[in-house]
Amino acid sequence: MMRGRISFVFVLAASLLVSRSTLWAQDLGPQFKKIKEGIYVQSAREANSNAGIIVTQEGVVLVDSGHNPTDSRAVMEAVKKLTPLPIKYIIDTEVHPDHTTGHFVFSPPAIVVNHQGAGDAMRKAENPNRAQTLAAQSPEMAQASQGYRLVVPHIEYQQRMTLRVGERTLELIHLKNAHSEADTAVWLPAERVLFASSVAIPNSLNNVRAFVTIPDILTATRMLRSLNPAVVVPGHGSFGTTAIFDESEKYYTLLVERVGAMVMQGRTRDEITKELKMPESASWAYQDRWPSNVDAAYRAVTQK
Ligand SMILES: [Zn+2]
């Protein structure tokens, strides 16, 4: 008798657990995709930034907080469907507002983490009219951005940091001069899932800023590939495999080679920007970022 009752209770409890943890990603809405058990990504629109949701037995970790406040509030709704546990941490993969504006939706209580220098860069770049600019976009954005304030990282680590939350281990790895003033890749070694930051964005030119160098980008992508991840989630665009790094490396290697050949022929930076064509990346998004790409290759070749 007793045994039957215990097993009934056990089966009931187990089935409740299972129904919660195997919730279909579709139940979260079309913006959300399931990567692995308890790990989801929000990609609201193709060009928007990705936000990662990592559920643990002790609470939730977000990787970035959505492209804008409406996306962030959708992330909040999705988390509420997945678990009653709180969002404990947000790990920033970079400092730019398309990854960080929505922090105010989650913090407090969420603790924000990124590499040293993130807070200074975010304060310096902050648009004092951000709340009004957002509100002017649409009534939905006006509603979602109510209460906006800049939230900079509470914790700034150096080089590497290990975060243990519940049953999961997250390795935070700094990527130097790869995209923004403070870039972090988030590596889950047990799950072999890598949130790779915006160092490589599939089918898109990147904005290669003056402090970013192609050798540093190549160092970062090679290091990330060597982790041997099964799933790679870039800062923007579809998640995939390490092919994302192969594509990026191929592109920058060709770019440096071709810019180098034109420098040897005595061409100036402006001439190269106008004359050089890259058929391999002609269909990629953000062709307006081309001058910054040529500039980075020119710097790499001439050491200027
Ligand atoms: Zn960015």
Side-chain angles (χ1 to χ4, degrees), residues 20 28 32 53 55 60 62 74-87 106:
R20 184 133 228 163
L28 303 177
F32 293 88
I53 300 172
V55 181
V60 175
L62 299 183
V75 168
M76 180 64 107
E77 289 312 305
V79 171
K80 281 182 188 162
K81 287 180 190 167
L82 289 167
T83 174
L85 293 171
I87 296 168
F106 308 98

Side-chain angles (χ1 to χ4, degrees), residues 120-289:
D120 282 349
M122 288 169 72
R123 274 187 286 265
K124 206 187 271 179
E126 175 63 350
N127 171 4
N129 300 316
R130 191 172 315 279
Q132 294 92 308
T133 310
L134 284 164
Q137 285 181 23
S138 69
E140 294 74 29
M141 194 63 78
Q143 174 83 24
S145 55
Q146 271 184 25
Y148 171 77
R149 63 193 173 83
L150 178 70
V151 178
V152 302
H154 304 90
I155 297 174
E156 292 193 349
Y157 70 96
Q158 291 192 48
Q159 303 310 324
R160 273 181 103 113
M161 174 172 170
T162 303
L163 197 60
R164 293 200 175 84
V165 190
E167 74 282 26
R168 298 201 198 264
T169 297
L170 292 81
E171 302 283 356
L172 281 56
I173 306 170
H174 176 231
L175 309 175
K176 183 171 78 82
N177 300 337
H179 174 74
S180 82
E181 289 87 344
D183 299 315
T184 295
V186 184
W187 169 229
L188 286 84
E191 297 82 351
R192 291 181 59 218
V193 173
L194 175 67
F195 291 88
S197 88
S198 297
V199 64
I201 300 171
N203 306 315
S204 174
L205 291 187
N206 218 320
N207 183 1
V208 187
R209 292 168 178 81
F211 59 84
V212 174
T213 80
I214 291 176
D216 282 325
I217 290 174
L218 293 175
T219 301
T221 49
R222 284 169 189 155
M223 183 272 292
L224 293 175
R225 185 172 43 212
S226 75
L227 298 169
N228 193 24
V231 183
V232 178
V233 187
H236 296 255
S238 305
F239 64 86
T241 65
T242 53
I244 291 167
F245 302 135
D246 301 340
E247 278 298 302
S248 171
E249 186 174 335
K250 194 174 110 193
Y251 167 74
Y252 285 114
T253 306
L254 280 174
L255 177 67
V256 169
E257 226 172 78
R258 290 172 189 170
V259 169
M262 292 178 82
V263 167
M264 292 290 280
Q265 293 161 10
R267 294 286 202 286
T268 67
R269 195 179 326 215
D270 287 346
E271 287 167 348
I272 298 170
T273 307
K274 284 196 197 89
E275 291 168 22
L276 177 59
K277 303 283 175 239
M278 293 274 286
E280 296 85 357
S281 57
S283 66
W284 291 4
Y286 292 107
Q287 293 293 323
D288 56 316
R289 294 168 172 175

Side-chain angles (χ1 to χ4, degrees), residues 17-43 50-55 78 81-82 168 191 193 195 230-233 238-240:
L17 276 175
V18 166
S19 66
R20 184 133 228 163
S21 66
T22 57
L23 190 70
W24 292 100
Q26 285 88 321
D27 294 344
L28 303 177
Q31 304 179 355
F32 293 88
K33 292 195 173 70
K34 186 173 180 174
I35 295 177
K36 288 223 159 172
E37 205 53 54
I39 306 180
Y40 301 82
V41 64
Q42 180 209 37
S43 197
N50 294 322
I53 300 172
I54 302 166
V55 181
K81 287 180 190 167
L82 289 167
R168 298 201 198 264
E191 297 82 351
V193 173
F195 291 88
V231 183
V232 178
V233 187
S238 305
F239 64 86

